[in-house]
Amino acid sequence: IVNCLADTFRNGNNDPRILLNTLVTEIQYSDNGVMVIASDGSRYVGEYALVTFSLGVLQHGDVTFTPELPFWKKLAINRFTMGPATYVYAIFSIRIASPVAKRFIFVSDSRGL
């Protein structure tokens, strides 16, 4: 799915402006531009960067921002609460539940289940 969506924006499969499967560890930004640093030490420089980190990544502090994000942004990030969730949609050829049941919910104590 991610590759399909990315193909909408990149020119074929070799567009260097879009990187997938790259672990970002730090973003250095200023009025003059931005530098994104990956876990393998690679550095990417540009006028702008579009980041799409999950709320969990931002709350956990997995990415360092230099300078630090303003207080109001950190406050907004940390005020949200979300739990881990994965949606799985399935269509069955036979009825497996009451016609009034809209969805099933399975919650696991184990991560990854």
Side-chain angles (χ1 to χ4, degrees), residues 36-73:
V36 176
I37 303 169
S39 62
D40 65 0
S42 300
R43 296 169 183 262
Y44 306 93
V45 178
E47 291 181 51
Y48 304 96
L50 173 65
V51 296
T52 58
F53 302 120
S54 70
L55 185 58
V57 166
L58 293 171
Q59 288 175 337
H60 194 259
D62 294 333
V63 177
T64 303
F65 289 88
T66 306
E68 283 189 28
L69 293 176
F71 175 77
W72 65 269
K73 283 187 182 181

Side-chain angles (χ1 to χ4, degrees), residues 50-112:
L50 173 65
V51 296
T52 58
F53 302 120
S54 70
L55 185 58
V57 166
L58 293 171
Q59 288 175 337
H60 194 259
D62 294 333
V63 177
T64 303
F65 289 88
T66 306
E68 283 189 28
L69 293 176
F71 175 77
W72 65 269
K73 283 187 182 181
K74 292 191 289 187
L75 183 64
I77 289 167
N78 290 308
R79 280 191 173 169
F80 281 100
T81 56
M82 294 183 74
T86 301
Y87 290 94
V88 177
Y89 295 93
I91 299 174
F92 296 93
S93 60
I94 60 169
R95 183 178 304 279
I96 63 166
S98 162
V100 263
K102 297 279 188 209
R103 54 180 72 106
F104 294 98
I105 298 176
F106 170 75
V107 179
S108 173
D109 292 332
S110 300
R111 186 175 181 163

